[in-house]
Every structure is written in structure tokens, then in C-alpha cells.
């Protein structure tokens, strides 16, 4: 098992039913913690898996003052575009032509790589065989080639005359080079036939009808046509159900399983309601399709041809499940819907369109993320991310030199030894322009089968505001003196480690004191004693990821939003005061959430 | 002039570029660095593979622009990376096209890039191979070991991985700051600042 | 970069004895190519060797066919895990392209004509690769394996036959590429012959 990089996941309140998510309960921190211990967040519960996100994935609604995760956010589509040609597709085109690119962007059916249009040099035809009007002009044809697996559309027998608008040309060709009529052409043909039937010579009509019937039967497998026929048939049935062409209109001949008798029997049981009278009048005798012209598709269960062909082919020439899943609906060959077994029946895949989406808060409907409509522009008009409102937590392992004899060779991500106390430094960075007061709460033992002991050495601390570097330099002198008094650190530069320096010159962790402090960050130490992974019974098996040491931590941050206040009050105001606008013009805000710190894997 | 003891590992130019002495840059007059770019040791940039067909419009204004590789600001080329202009047959003759990179591009160790253009804020992992004439847009993350086939277009805000490269995710709105390389630039050089907390 | 420096090329560490070579007259070999070893290195007509390519003939002869292109940072003839020393370590057919960072181990390894060995490929000792094959980047061929003609090795070891039939076209394209490369890379075969 690979060692683990420490991570931090935050739980979105949308998955939490308990009332802890709502702020502004006037309770002191300690009683709130006790309450929370009963409802301790268990990161190993199956439900919590869906509510945990790293900080980058979370957005923040400024009006609700709450976190929003990708699950609870409501998305709206700004634009559709093809990921290959980066052309915008108007949403009106989407309804008519589907959600794939209709220009020349295709994916290889074998390896899903991009296909490019290449020209085939056709050899100039033999001059002796040329008819006078051809004149010896070489006709360049084009084909699609994959630049990764070297597949070419010539392997399925498809060549193109023009290098652009490949999608339209592809719709007219089947694998193997035969042509295929699109739905529009089919309609036109049918119209011609019906107009022929109306008048004209009987012989010509008969010949045309025979040819049409033959071609229709040959192309009866076309999915588009079948769907169109079936749809028009059902529409006719719904409009005028009693005008059926067959003579089986009496109830007795149809038996019990026909739809009309079933509906009649059901009406006997549920009869008496007013709204049924309307449906009764509509219900005539309806039937299913009988002939291919009405949309009947006879299943072809005889696969002996396919089996015979399979005997001849190699494994590479058959298609895999991934390749079949990636294929778009094959309009030309519906009997191959997800069942084609040969690689030669796979077709190039048009690219699925991608979208630019804007996100709305589900509660107050304000927009919290809105990209620019233009595809080339990567900026955002509105982008309220949680990272600019919540402190980010980074975790590093702390190896105290000389504390234990063996700590000198520790590498971040090493396995944790059971029963040996380990220290981690958590660094909280403040992104907002006000000072933050942070209160942490963790259960003393981690939930799960193997509880490890957790101690946060400094659960309450302040982080200074994220001011400019110049302001910091001006305030340096003030801070140096005050910091020296409280926790004995040296200067206010970034790298200085706090914590008392023992007599022998080593750093020691002390409860109640922060480890380090900087312009807008504070780091504290968490001590963990990992549990041993001994299984009680011999049949017990360690579940997946049960050896990861995860600490659920409840974080509450409080800050004041000004009207004009200066940053000196926050440390002294009690956490319980709800700050009901007593004329100070400062509004107290707080945000509380559960987060999970994954520290590492315990050695087995 | 400079004694052995004073030679740092990097040459720092006045525009802030830090080029390792052990990097191999061929044809440097055709390589354009934007400024504050870090080139670590064993990186190879082929600036000698320039465009051999000159368009006629260049004759009007000064010497023809022979840039083979153009790199933006705050880029970071890790150990062993190789940047090579892509080449193909154009109108019957073989020619190389320039490779253009945007700002804040991180190229992982042992990667080989032959793309036509790479946008800004791109993070390319280790041992990545980008095929010829690929186009990578802005804010893209390419994971380790990916092979981007030739002629592929990777749109903005995607995460790609695999051989051949497939889109496996999107970059979230909160992840834009992770692409900034200003802090990484400060940790390298002859006087490296330690990484911020 | 300042225009005063023509190139930044750290000195090539001469790691080994200078190899006996047999060059055709029309080859292009860059100055900073590395040719080491004790057996003969043969490069046939019109081939191109880019800077920093390494041809190592300690484990046997290295033969490069006509109109081949060997890119930079490649290693031809590295001693593989088997450690065999045979008469012919590596043989490349005509029109072969070996791309950046590929490594071909020694031990009767044969690469057929018209083949493209992709970026960072690893070819084991004694492998035999057929004609007109394509190895996509990061493919690994185990030692002793045989790849039939016209095969594409892609995506973590999958194979498929290549039916495009563009071998001639590709070779012609390679010829044009070589014409352009000969003008671009300053060639210095004399450095290796003496």
C-alpha cells in the first residue's frame, strides 16, 4: 500500500440533517462541543462519502453565508461547444441535430483518439481506359485517420469527396461504401411514390411501386425509418382508433388480452369517476403495428452468419465492450445496437459537446459562479469560491529532532506506527481582510473500529487579517512587542517557530500555545497516537482504507464585517455574544463546518 | 573571472530567467523566454529546428521572425524535459512550426513536448508525451504519464490522463490559484527562498 | 536569451572508449552525438543523428540503415538486463525513425525497415520488430519478443494490424524531412572518424 499524502476534506451542510449547520445559537463553545460529540461526524459512514469535498470544489453563497458543494448547486448552461474545434453551437441547433458535433470532429472507434482528415492519393487512371470527357484529372478522395492507433476509415470502406462537413457525408454512407438514405430523402421518395400512385401509367406505377417495395424491404432495418413509421402509426391510432383497417373489431374475437378488453375490465372496477369519461371516449380499439410500413421490426434471431464470420476473424478484429459503449446510436444498422461484434462495423464517433455552466445557490437563487460566454475567454464574471472565505488547512508532519530517537529519518507520507505519538502541524491561512477567531473541536478518539487518540494542543486561536505586505511592515513593530509577551516567540518574520525553547535548545510543543504565526497564517500542533490494527477474530478482514487515520474536526470561525471597524476587537469578544447591532456598526458573522483531516496510513 | 566557488547552479538573466548551467539549449537565438522562467538541469530545447518556409509578408518588415520556441512568464521546466517544435509536410516540403507556450506553465520531469501551442496556467505532469501539433488551452492539468496523441485539442479547464489522453475531469472554480507558479519560482535558483507555509 | 551565446551545451561527458566507425559520405551527425564502444558503428547513407543521441557499441556492432533519423536523448545499444554480448547489438533497417528518449537494448535487436519507434519507448534485448511498424510513445517491448510486420503497438501494450498501406508515402515524407534536417543540423562526422 502506498503511503498517503495528507488531505483535508470539508463537509457541505447540504448533506447534514442535524441543526448544527445553522449558526447563531447563543451557546458557549464548550457546551456546543459536547452537543456535537453526540453527533460526531463519522467520515467512514457511507453517507458522508458523498458530502466531503476538497476546498477547491466548494463555492460560497454570500447572501446565505453558507458553503455550496457541486451536489447542491443548481447548474445552468451558458454555451455549448465542441471540445475539438472549439466552435460554439447555438442551443437551437442542439434540438435538431443532437448533442454531438456536426462538423468534422470525430473520434477513432478503436482508441478514442482524434481523427484527422487526410487525402488519399488515388493513382491516375489508365489513360487508355479514359473516356474523352474525364480528361485525366486525378480525383483526390479523403479519409479519416487516427494519429494514435493508425486506424483509417478505409478499413471500413468509407471515403469522402470533400474534406469538410464530414458529418453530413458520413450520414449517407454505410460501412462498406454503400449509400444510405437519410430520413428526408426517404420522405421525398415516398411522396413521389404516392403522387405516382395518384395518376400516371399503370405500368410505370407498378414498376415504381415494386422497386419501392423492394428497396423499402432492403432498407427496412434502418432505425430512423422504423421510428418514423411507428410514430406516425401511433398518431393515427390515437387520432381515430375506431377506423382500423382490419375486421376484428368485435370484442369477442379479440379475447381477453387485447388492450381494449383490458381497459374495459379495468373500467368496471374503477368506474364511477368523472375524469374517466373523457378517457373512455378516446379509447377505441387500438392495435399494434403489423407490417414494416407501420413500423414493425422483426427480430432477426438467426446469427449463423455472424458465427461463421467469427470463425474467420482474429481477436483484434472483434470489438471490445468499451468500444461498443462509446459508439453513438447507429442509425444505419439498428440490429447492431450495442451488439456489433466486429471492429469493421464500428463507425467514427462524433465528439460530444461540452458546456460552460453557471451555478446558482439552491436556496436564494443568486448566481455564485458565472463564466464568460465566449469560449476563448477563460475568465469568470462571478466566481465566489469557498477558498476566498474560509481558511485553508495544510498538514505537514512534524519531526521533532531528538524527541524520540528514531524521528530523524521521517519522510512525509511514511507509515504511522501504532501506539507511537506523532505530531502534525496544521497551518490555517486566512483569506479575508478581517481577523478570524478559530475554534476547533475534535472527538478524543477517532470513530471507527480502531480508534486513535487525538489531541489538539491549541483549540482556540486568532488569525490576523490578510492585509497587504506594506501594512504588515508598518505594523511589525507593534506586533513584535506584544507577541514577545504572550508566547515568547522571536521576530514577526514568517519562518520563526514559536513554542518555548527548552533548556537544551530544542523546540517543545506546549498545550495552549500556537506553533507558529505569520502575516495571515497560524500553525498549531496536533498530537495523534495511532491505534493498532489488530483484528479481534481471525476471520475479520481489514476493509478498504480502514487503515487511514482520519480525524473529523469541527471548525467554527468568527469574524466581524465592518462598517468602519478596525481589527482589534475580535479576540476579546465572547463567542456567545450574538452581536445584535448595538450601534457599533460591526456585524458579527460566523461559519461552522465539519472537516476531515486525513493524516496517513497506519502500519499493519 | 568567476572562480569555481562562486558559480551558481543557475544563470540568472536580467529579465529574471533562471537557466541551469547543465541545461541543453540548442539554437538559443531562436528561443524566446518571457521572464521569470526557470529551466532546470538536463532540460533540452531544440531552437535549431526553425521554420524553413518563410512567408512572403516577412520581407516587408525587418529580418524574418525565426522563433522556434517561445515561452511565457513564470514557466517552470523541470529536470529532463524536452521541448521540440513540431514538423510536418506542408505543401510538399517538410517544415517545422514554432512551439508557443503561455505563462505559468509547469512542465514535469522527463516530459517531451511537441505541441503546436500550449496555453497559460497549464500543469503538465511527469513523463508526459505531447504529440505533434496538439493544442492545449488554458487552465489544463495533464496528469503523470499521459500520452497526448498528435493533433489533439484539449479545451480549457480540463483534466486529462491516459494513453491516449482522455478527459477525466474538470478543473473546479476554486482550483485556479493552484496553477500560479510565482511561489515556485522563488524556491529555485542560486539563493532559494524556502517554500511558504 | 541573449543573442551572444549561440547555444548552451554543457560539455558531453566522454564516458567510454571512442568507437570505430564506418560512415557513409552523405550522413548528418550532430556534433554532440555520443558514439562509444569497442565494436564497429555503421551509419549508412543519408541518415541523420540528432545531438545528444547515444550509440553504444560495447555489447556489439550498431548498424543504422539508410535514411534513418535518430532523435536526441536516444540510446542504441545499452546493455540490457541479460548482459549478452553478441556480434550485432542493434540493427536498424532503412527509413527507421527512433524518437526522443527511446532506448533500444543490445543483443541482436533488429528493427525492420520503415518502423517508427515512438517517444520514450523501451525495446528489450533481442527483440525483433517487423517492417513498417509503429510503436506509440511509452510502449515497452519485452526482451526477445517478435512483432510482426505492419503492427501498431499502442495504449499499454495493445496490438493491432495497420492496414493503411501508406508505407511508401511515409518513406517519401521521411526523405523530405531528411533533406530539411541536413541543412539545419551542422554535421561533423570528422570528429568521430579520426
Amino acid at each position: 500500500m502506498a503511503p498517503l499524502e495528507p488531505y483535508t476534506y470539508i463537509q457541505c451542510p447540504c448533506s447534514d440533517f442535524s441543526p448544527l449547520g445553522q449558526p447563531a445559537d447563543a451557546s458557549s463553545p464548550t457546551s456546543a462541543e459536547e452537543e456535537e460529540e453526540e453527533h460526531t461526524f463519522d467520515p467512514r459512514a457511507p453517507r458522508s462519502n458523498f458530502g466531503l469535498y476538497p476546498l477547491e470544489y466548494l463555492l460560497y453563497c454570500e447572501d446565505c453565508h453558507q458553503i455550496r458543494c457541486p451536489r447542491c448547486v443548481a447548474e445552468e448552461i451558458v454555451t455549448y461547444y465542441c471540445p475539438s474545434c472549439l466552435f460554439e453551437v447555438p442551443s437551437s441547433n442542439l434540438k435538431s441535430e443532437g448533442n454531438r458535433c456536426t462538423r468534422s470532429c470525430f473520434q477513432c472507434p478503436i482508441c478514442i483518439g482524434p481523427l484527422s482528415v487526410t487525402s488519399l492519393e488515388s493513382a491516375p487512371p489508365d489513360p487508355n481506359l479514359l473516356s474523352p470527357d474525364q480528361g485525366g484529372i486525378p480525383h483526390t478522395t479523403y479519409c479519416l485517420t487516427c494519429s494514435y492507433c493508425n486506424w483509417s476509415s478505409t478499413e471500413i470502406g468509407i471515403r469522402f469527396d470533400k474534406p469538410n462537413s464530414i458529418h453530413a457525408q458520413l450520414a449517407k454512407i454505410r460501412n462498406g461504401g454503400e449509400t444510405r438514405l437519410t430520413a428526408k430523402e426517404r420522405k421525398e421518395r415516398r411522396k413521389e411514390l404516392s403522387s405516382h400512385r395518384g395518376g400516371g401509367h399503370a405500368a410505370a406505377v407498378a414498376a415504381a411501386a415494386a422497386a419501392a417495395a423492394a428497396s423499402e424491404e432492403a432498407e427496412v432495418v434502418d432505425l430512423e425509418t422504423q421510428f418514423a413509421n411507428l410514430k406516425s402509426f401511433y398518431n393515427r391510432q390515437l387520432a381515430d382508433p375506431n377506423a382500423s383497417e382490419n375486421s376484428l373489431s368485435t370484442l369477442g374475437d379479440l379475447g381477453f388480452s387485447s388492450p381494449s378488453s383490458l381497459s374495459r375490465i379495468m373500467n368496471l372496477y374503477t368506474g364511477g369517476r368523472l375524469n374517466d369519461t373523457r378517457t373512455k371516449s378516446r379509447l377505441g380499439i387500438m392495435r399494434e403495428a403489423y407490417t414494416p410500413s407501420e413500423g414493425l421490426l422483426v427480430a432477426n434471431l438467426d446469427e449463423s452468419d455472424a458465427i461463421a464470420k467469427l470463425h474467420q476473424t482474429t481477436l483484434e478484429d472483434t470489438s471490445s465492450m468499451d468500444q461498443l459503449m462509446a459508439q453513438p446510436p447507429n442509425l444505419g444498422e439498428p440490429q447492431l445496437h450495442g451488439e456489433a461484434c466486429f471492429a469493421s462495423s464500428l463507425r467514427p464517433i462524433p465528439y460530444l459537446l461540452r458546456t460552460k455552466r453557471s451555478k446558482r445557490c439552491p436556496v436564494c437563487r443568486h448566481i455564485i459562479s458565472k463564466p464568460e460566454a465566449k469560449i476563448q475567454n477563460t475568465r469568470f464574471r462571478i466566481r465566489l469560491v469557498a477558498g476566498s472565505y474560509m481558511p485553508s488547512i495544510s498538514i505537514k508532519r512534524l519531526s521533532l529532532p531528538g524527541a524520540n530517537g528514531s524521528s530523524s529519518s521521517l519522510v512525509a507520507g511514511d507509515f504511522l506506527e501504532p501506539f507511537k505519538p506523532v505530531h502534525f502541524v496544521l497551518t490555517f491561512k486566512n483569506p479575508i481582510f478581517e481577523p478570524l477567531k478559530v475554534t476547533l473541536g475534535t472527538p478524543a478518539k477517532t470513530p471507527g473500529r480502531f480508534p486513535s487518540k487525538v489531541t489538539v494542543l491549541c483549540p482556540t486561536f486568532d488569525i490576523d487579517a490578510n492585509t497587504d505586505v506594506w501594512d504588515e511592515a508598518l505594523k511589525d513593530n507593534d506586533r513584535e512587542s506584544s507577541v514577545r509577551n504572550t508566547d515568547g516567540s522571536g521576530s514577526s518574520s514568517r519562518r520563526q517557530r514559536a513554542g518555548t525553547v527548552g533548556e537544551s535548545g530544542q523546540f517543545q510543543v506546549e498545550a495552549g500555545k500556537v506553533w507558529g504565526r505569520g502575516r495571515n497564517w497560524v500553525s498549531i500542533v496536533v498530537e495523534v497516537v495511532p491505534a493498532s490494527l489488530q483484528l479481534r477474530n481471525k476471520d475479520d478482514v481489514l476493509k478498504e482504507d480502514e487503515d487511514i487515520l482520519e480525524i473529523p474536526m469541527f471548525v467554527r470561525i468568527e469574524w466581524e464585517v465592518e462598517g468602519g471597524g478596525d481589527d482589534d476587537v475580535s479576540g476579546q469578544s465572547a463567542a456567545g455574544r450574538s452581536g445584535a447591532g448595538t450601534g457599533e456598526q460591526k456585524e458579527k458573522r460566523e461559519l461552522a463546518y465539519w472537516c476531515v483531516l486525513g493524516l496517513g496510513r497506519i502500519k499493519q | 573571472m568567476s572562480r569555481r566557488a562562486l558559480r551558481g547552479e543557475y544563470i540568472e538573466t536580467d529579465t529574471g530567467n533562471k537557466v541551469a548551467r547543465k541545461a541543453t539549449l540548442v539554437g538559443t537565438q531562436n528561443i524566446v523566454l518571457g521572464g521569470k522562467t526557470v529551466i532546470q538541469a538536463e532540460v533540452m530545447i531544440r531552437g535549431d529546428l526553425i521554420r524553413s518556409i518563410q512567408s512572403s509578408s516577412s520581407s516587408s518588415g525587418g529580418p524574418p521572425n525565426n522563433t522556434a520556441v517561445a515561452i511565457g512568464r513564470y514557466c517552470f521546466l523541470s529536470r529532463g524535459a524536452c521541448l521540440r517544435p513540431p514538423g510536418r509536410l506542408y505543401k510538399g516540403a517538410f517544415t517545422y512550426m514554432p512551439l508557443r507556450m503561455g505563462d505559468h506553465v509547469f512542465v514535469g520531469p522527463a516530459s517531451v513536448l511537441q505541441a503546436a501551442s500550449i496555453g497559460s496556467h497549464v500543469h503538465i505532469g511527469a513523463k508526459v508525451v505531447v504529440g505533434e501539433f496538439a493544442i492545449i488551452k488554458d487552465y489544463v492539468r495533464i496528469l503523470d504519464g499521459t500520452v497526448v496523441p498528435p493533433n489533439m485539442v484539449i479545451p480549457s479547464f480540463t483534466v486529462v490522463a491516459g494513453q491516449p489522453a482522455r478527459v477525466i475531469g474538470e478543473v473546479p472554480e476554486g482550483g485556479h490559484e493552484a496553477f500560479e507558479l510565482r511561489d515556485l519560482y522563488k524556491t529555485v535558483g542560486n539563493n532559494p527562498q524556502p517554500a511558504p507555509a | 536569451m541573449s543573442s551572444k551565446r549561440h547555444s548552451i551545451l554543457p560539455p558531453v561527458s566522454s564516458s567510454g572508449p571512442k568507437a570505430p566507425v564506418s560512415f557513409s559520405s552523405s550522413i548528418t551527425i550532430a556534433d554532440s552525438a555520443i558514439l562509444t564502444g569497442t565494436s564497429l558503428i555503421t551509419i549508412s547513407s543519408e541518415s541523420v543523428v540528432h545531438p545528444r543521441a547515444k550509440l553504444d557499441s560495447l555489447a556489439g556492432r550498431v548498424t543504422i540503415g539508410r535514411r534513418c533519423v535518430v532523435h536526441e536523448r536516444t540510446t542504441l545499444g545499452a546493455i540490457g538486463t541479460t548482459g549478452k554480448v553478441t556480434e550485432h547489438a542493434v540493427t536498424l533497417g532503412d527509413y527507421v525513425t527512433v524518437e526522443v528518449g527511446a532506448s533500444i537494448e543490445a543483443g541482436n535487436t533488429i528493427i525492420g525497415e520503415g518502423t517508427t519507434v515512438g517517444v520514450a519507448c523501451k525495446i528489450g534485448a533481442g527483440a525483433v520488430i517487423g517492417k513498417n511498424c509503429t510503436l506509440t510513445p511509452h510502449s515497452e517491448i519485452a526482451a526477445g519478443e517478435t512483432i510482426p510486420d505492419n503492427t501498431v503497438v499502442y495504449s499499454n501494450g495493445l496490438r493491432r494490424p495497420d492496414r493503411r498501406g501508406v508505407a511508401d508515402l511515409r518513406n517519401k515524407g521521411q526523405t523530405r524531412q531528411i533533406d530539411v534536417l541536413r541543412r539545419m543540423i551542422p554535421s561533423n562526422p570528422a570528429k568521430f572518424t579520426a
Side-chain angles (χ1 to χ4, degrees):
Chain A
M1 283 274 222
L4 194 74
E5 283 287 322
Y7 56 82
T8 308
Y9 291 157
I10 296 174
Q11 188 211 22
C12 177
C14 69
S15 54
D16 188 20
F17 283 141
S18 69
L20 295 172
Q22 281 115 37
D25 258 338
S27 50
S28 62
T30 46
S31 68
E33 273 177 25
E34 281 167 10
E35 206 181 19
E36 278 132 31
E37 273 189 299
E38 295 166 4
H39 307 275
T40 300
F41 178 60
D42 181 12
R44 287 197 219 281
R47 197 201 176 99
S48 54
N49 193 12
F50 296 97
L52 287 173
Y53 289 92
L55 186 61
E56 305 92 62
Y57 282 83
L58 295 176
L59 302 167
Y60 186 83
C61 177
E62 270 210 330
D63 297 305
C64 310
H65 302 297
Q66 263 302 347
I67 306 170
R68 298 287 169 227
C69 67
R71 270 204 328 162
C72 57
V73 119
E75 290 186 347
E76 287 167 359
I77 295 177
V78 176
T79 43
Y80 294 89
Y81 63 96
C82 166
S84 175
C85 54
L86 299 178
F87 265 69
E88 187 185 333
V89 176
S91 43
S92 52
N93 280 18
L94 219 75
K95 288 178 197 154
S96 50
E97 295 175 22
N99 58 346
R100 293 185 183 256
C101 185
T102 51
R103 303 174 91 248
S104 303
C105 313
F106 286 90
Q107 279 178 306
C108 170
I110 308 283
C111 70
I112 324 285
L115 289 176
S116 44
V117 182
T118 49
S119 60
L120 295 171
E121 279 179 21
S122 48
D126 193 355
N128 298 330
L129 300 173
L130 273 181
S131 54
D133 50 327
Q134 270 192 9
I137 303 167
H139 184 60
T140 47
T141 50
Y142 300 90
C143 72
L144 292 170
T145 315
C146 174
S147 9
Y148 188 69
C149 67
N150 288 352
W151 179 86
S152 162
S153 63
T154 49
E155 294 191 27
I156 52 176
I158 293 185
R159 290 185 172 80
F160 305 103
D161 298 324
K162 295 182 297 173
N164 39 17
S165 57
I166 302 273
H167 188 98
Q169 294 180 64
L170 199 63
K172 297 192 185 146
I173 309 182
R174 281 194 200 171
N175 289 20
E178 307 152 6
T179 52
R180 177 186 151 255
L181 297 174
T182 56
K184 289 185 195 165
E185 292 172 358
R186 225 177 285 277
K187 271 189 204 165
E188 283 167 26
R189 268 211 188 167
R190 232 179 286 139
K191 277 187 199 160
E192 281 176 35
L193 283 174
S194 52
S195 65
H196 272 304
R197 261 187 224 140
H201 304 286
V205 163
S215 64
E216 258 198 35
E217 280 200 20
E219 303 186 277
V220 73
V221 288
D222 194 293
L223 193 66
E224 260 186 344
T225 324
Q226 188 241 342
F227 180 73
N229 289 344
L230 198 60
K231 189 172 172 188
S232 55
F233 172 72
Y234 280 141
N235 279 333
R236 284 202 304 269
Q237 289 286 299
L238 278 176
D240 198 2
N242 290 321
S244 52
E245 288 125 32
N246 54 356
S247 53
L248 303 170
S249 51
T250 55
L251 292 171
D253 292 324
L254 290 172
F256 284 119
S257 57
S258 76
S260 56
S261 55
L262 277 175
S263 46
R264 189 177 52 85
I265 293 172
M266 288 310 296
N267 283 341
L268 285 174
Y269 287 104
T270 62
R273 281 202 217 146
L274 284 175
N275 36 3
D276 264 351
T277 52
R278 250 193 281 160
T279 53
K280 257 193 207 168
S281 62
R282 265 210 291 179
L283 236 97
I285 299 168
M286 294 178 63
R287 62 174 181 87
E288 293 291 339
Y290 276 175
T291 63
S293 66
E294 289 174 343
L296 179 72
L297 183 65
V298 180
N300 185 11
L301 298 175
D302 179 16
E303 293 192 13
S304 41
D305 296 334
I307 294 174
K309 204 170 161 199
L310 264 179
H311 283 309
Q312 317 290 331
T313 49
T314 60
L315 186 63
E316 284 102 23
D317 283 336
T318 53
S319 52
S320 76
M321 201 37 105
D322 292 328
Q323 291 166 350
L324 286 176
M325 288 296 113
Q327 287 273 299
N330 193 339
L331 301 175
E333 249 97 16
Q335 80 273 18
L336 302 176
H337 240 359
E339 288 160 7
C341 31
F342 301 108
S344 54
S345 28
L346 298 174
R347 283 167 77 82
I349 307 166
Y351 269 96
L352 275 172
L353 298 178
R354 265 184 73 152
T355 53
K356 275 198 173 193
R357 301 179 297 281
S358 71
K359 302 189 178 153
R360 269 185 204 271
C361 173
V363 171
C364 64
R365 305 290 304 160
H366 271 91
I367 293 187
I368 47 181
S369 162
K370 187 168 182 180
E372 287 269 354
K374 270 202 194 161
I375 299 155
Q376 299 90 351
N377 200 335
T378 56
R379 286 190 303 161
F380 278 71
R381 289 193 185 194
I382 305 172
R383 191 168 72 105
L384 304 174
V385 283
S388 32
Y389 294 90
M390 286 162 45
S392 61
I393 308 174
S394 57
I395 307 173
K396 248 198 285 186
R397 193 151 168 186
L398 178 68
S399 54
L400 296 169
N404 317 325
S406 55
S407 56
S408 52
S409 56
L410 277 179
V411 175
D414 250 2
F415 289 97
L416 307 173
E417 303 269 342
F419 300 127
K420 284 204 191 133
V422 189
H423 297 92
F424 286 90
V425 176
L426 306 182
T427 308
F428 289 78
K429 241 195 227 169
N430 180 9
I432 62 176
F433 295 110
E434 316 291 327
L436 275 184
K437 178 171 158 52
V438 179
T439 313
L440 304 174
T442 42
K445 289 210 173 227
T446 59
R449 269 205 291 178
F450 310 105
S452 318
K453 288 198 211 120
V454 178
T455 321
V456 175
L457 290 171
C458 180
T460 311
F461 50 88
D462 295 338
I463 316 181
D464 297 320
N466 185 15
T467 53
D468 280 338
V469 191
W470 299 116
D471 287 351
E472 179 216 345
L474 290 173
K475 287 201 188 132
D476 247 357
N477 298 331
D478 299 347
R479 186 165 307 133
E480 265 190 30
S481 43
S482 65
V483 158
R484 203 171 278 136
N485 293 337
T486 51
D487 49 17
S489 70
S491 74
S492 62
S493 78
R494 284 178 183 215
R495 294 291 114 168
Q496 199 64 18
R497 287 238 176 93
T500 53
V501 177
E503 284 173 350
S504 46
Q506 300 160 6
F507 285 113
Q508 289 170 11
V509 287
E510 272 201 16
K513 304 223 171 109
V514 297
W515 181 248
R517 187 183 284 278
R519 175 169 65 92
N520 64 339
W521 57 271
V522 161
S523 54
I524 60 165
V525 176
V526 167
E527 178 179 306
V528 175
V529 181
S532 138
L533 295 175
Q534 285 295 327
L535 299 161
R536 298 274 166 77
N537 313 325
K538 283 190 189 159
D539 308 330
D540 254 355
V541 168
L542 209 61
K543 289 188 205 143
E544 192 191 347
D545 284 346
E546 231 182 351
D547 58 341
I548 296 184
L549 185 63
E550 280 183 332
I551 307 178
M553 192 157 78
F554 188 74
V555 179
R556 173 201 254 123
I557 53 179
E558 290 151 16
W559 72 102
E560 287 185 353
V561 176
E562 56 167 38
D566 197 306
D567 40 332
D568 50 3
V569 191
S570 58
Q572 291 141 26
S573 59
R577 208 199 295 165
S578 51
T582 54
E584 264 186 321
Q585 289 176 333
K586 255 182 260 189
E587 197 190 317
K588 216 173 172 315
R589 295 241 179 96
E590 74 166 31
L591 179 67
Y593 54 90
W594 276 100
C595 70
V596 173
L597 311 176
L599 298 177
R601 282 189 198 269
I602 306 175
K603 212 174 196 173
Q604 294 180 12
Chain B
M1 249 213 46
S2 58
R3 282 168 283 155
R4 273 285 151 185
L6 288 180
R7 284 186 108 198
E9 191 195 335
Y10 287 90
I11 303 171
E12 302 201 18
T13 70
D14 29 354
T15 44
N17 295 312
K18 294 179 181 168
V19 182
R21 283 182 205 277
K22 292 208 184 132
T24 313
L25 271 62
V26 188
T28 52
Q29 65 275 49
N30 303 321
I31 302 178
V32 174
L33 296 179
K36 311 261 193 203
T37 295
V38 175
I39 301 184
Q40 287 200 315
E42 291 171 31
V43 168
M44 186 149 184
I45 305 186
R46 296 296 304 271
D48 55 338
L49 303 176
I50 51 178
R51 205 198 275 244
S52 45
I53 300 176
Q54 297 298 333
S55 51
S56 54
S57 59
S58 64
S59 55
S60 50
N65 186 9
N66 263 337
T67 316
V69 177
I71 302 181
R73 300 169 54 82
Y74 286 107
C75 287
F76 194 101
L77 308 184
S78 308
R79 234 186 152 84
C82 180
L83 266 65
R84 213 172 189 270
R88 67 155 157 223
L89 278 177
Y90 183 65
K91 292 185 184 165
F94 189 85
T95 177
Y96 284 97
M97 303 289 188
L99 165 80
R100 293 188 196 281
M101 282 218 301
D103 310 325
H104 294 275
V105 176
F106 178 90
V107 179
S111 296
V112 176
L113 303 186
Q114 288 187 312
S117 96
I118 302 181
S120 307
H121 297 93
V122 176
H123 187 286
I124 301 180
K127 296 199 172 170
V128 167
V129 176
V130 179
E132 300 191 313
F133 293 101
I135 297 178
I136 304 178
K137 293 279 170 191
D138 305 332
Y139 289 100
V140 170
R141 182 178 293 271
I142 305 183
L143 302 185
D144 299 345
T146 314
V147 174
V148 178
N151 303 315
M152 181 159 185
V153 174
I154 304 183
S156 305
F157 299 111
T158 29
V159 179
V160 291
Q163 305 180 1
R166 275 161 218 171
V167 174
I168 60 165
E170 294 203 352
V171 173
E173 284 88 348
H176 295 184
E177 283 76 33
F179 288 102
E180 297 277 324
L181 295 179
R182 256 175 257 247
D183 298 325
L184 195 60
Y185 169 79
K186 292 188 189 132
T187 64
V188 196
N190 296 328
N191 300 319
Q193 307 291 325
Chain C
M1 291 298 305
S2 85
S3 52
K4 296 178 217 156
R5 273 186 282 260
H6 208 73
S7 294
I8 297 181
L9 291 173
V12 172
S13 55
S14 46
S15 51
K18 201 164 169 190
V21 293
S22 157
F23 287 168
S24 172
S25 54
S26 51
I27 68 162
T28 308
I29 180 161
D31 199 52
S32 53
I34 307 168
L35 272 68
T36 63
T38 48
S39 311
L40 186 65
I41 297 184
T42 313
I43 306 184
S44 315
S45 59
E46 295 195 45
S47 289
V48 176
V49 178
H50 282 246
R52 301 261 151 179
K54 183 164 180 182
L55 309 180
D56 187 354
S57 65
L58 271 177
R61 290 195 200 182
V62 174
T63 313
I64 298 184
R66 282 168 291 185
R67 293 196 173 155
C68 286
V69 180
V70 178
H71 287 194
E72 57 261 31
R73 295 255 182 97
T74 50
T75 316
L76 269 70
I79 297 185
T81 44
T82 51
K84 286 192 297 190
V85 174
T86 51
E87 198 205 324
H88 287 282
V90 174
T91 311
L92 266 59
D94 303 336
Y95 291 105
V96 168
T97 306
V98 182
E99 293 196 349
V100 179
S103 90
I104 306 180
E105 290 178 2
N108 277 331
T109 317
I110 300 175
I111 315 265
E113 77 171 72
T115 295
T116 305
V117 178
V119 176
C121 279
K122 291 192 179 55
I123 301 185
V128 176
I129 314 231
K131 299 187 192 162
N132 300 317
C133 286
T134 309
L135 305 180
T136 56
H138 281 305
S139 320
E140 290 193 12
I141 312 278
E145 240 187 287
T146 310
I147 313 266
D149 294 349
N150 292 316
T151 319
V152 178
V153 178
Y154 67 104
S155 183
N156 291 324
L158 295 174
R159 313 266 167 91
R160 64 177 294 271
D162 181 3
R163 298 198 190 104
R164 288 179 305 167
V166 292
D168 288 332
L169 223 61
R170 180 206 168 265
N171 294 347
K172 279 191 206 147
Q174 179 133 332
T175 318
R176 304 255 166 81
Q177 182 184 12
I178 288 175
D179 289 335
V180 168
L181 281 175
R182 294 170 90 201
R183 282 182 270 134
M184 282 190 182
I185 300 181
S187 174
N188 191 1
K191 177 182 169 195
F192 303 98
T193 46

